[in-house]
Amino acid sequence: MNSNIRWAKSYTRPAGALFMRIILVVLGVLVALAGAVWALQGAGFILGSFMSNDPTWIWIGAVTALVGLGILAFGIRSHRTAKHA
């Protein structure tokens, strides 16, 4: 058990952790925005597309936006580490 405690105190993040976090945040924002646009097109607020006024795209957009928010939340929370005694 002591070896686990020593390992946890000496743990450092991999070199690409910050880069991966930035990628996840950017990807989450882009996916959430795309989902929001699709939902607004499906609801008829944004016209000029085959998706306009099609209720199917409201649901597809809403689910996509939620997935994007999940990716964003994971990217933001991934930098937190467990507190050590």
Side-chain angles (χ1 to χ4, degrees):
M1 188 78 140
N2 275 341
S3 64
N4 289 340
I5 293 172
R6 278 182 276 158
W7 176 81
K9 288 182 180 180
S10 65
Y11 177 74
T12 58
R13 281 186 240 202
L18 178 63
F19 179 72
M20 183 58 72
R21 195 172 122 219
I22 292 170
I23 294 296
L24 285 173
V25 168
V26 170
L27 180 66
V29 168
L30 292 176
V31 171
L33 286 175
V37 167
W38 292 347
L40 290 172
Q41 285 179 328
F45 291 109
I46 301 174
L47 301 175
S49 171
F50 67 92
M51 296 182 240
S52 297
N53 293 317
D54 185 354
T56 303
W57 286 100
I58 297 172
W59 297 107
I60 293 172
V63 170
T64 304
L66 288 175
V67 169
L69 290 176
I71 294 170
L72 176 64
F74 182 74
I76 290 171
R77 289 184 47 89
S78 66
H79 75 282
R80 296 184 184 169
T81 58
K83 294 181 181 178
H84 303 292

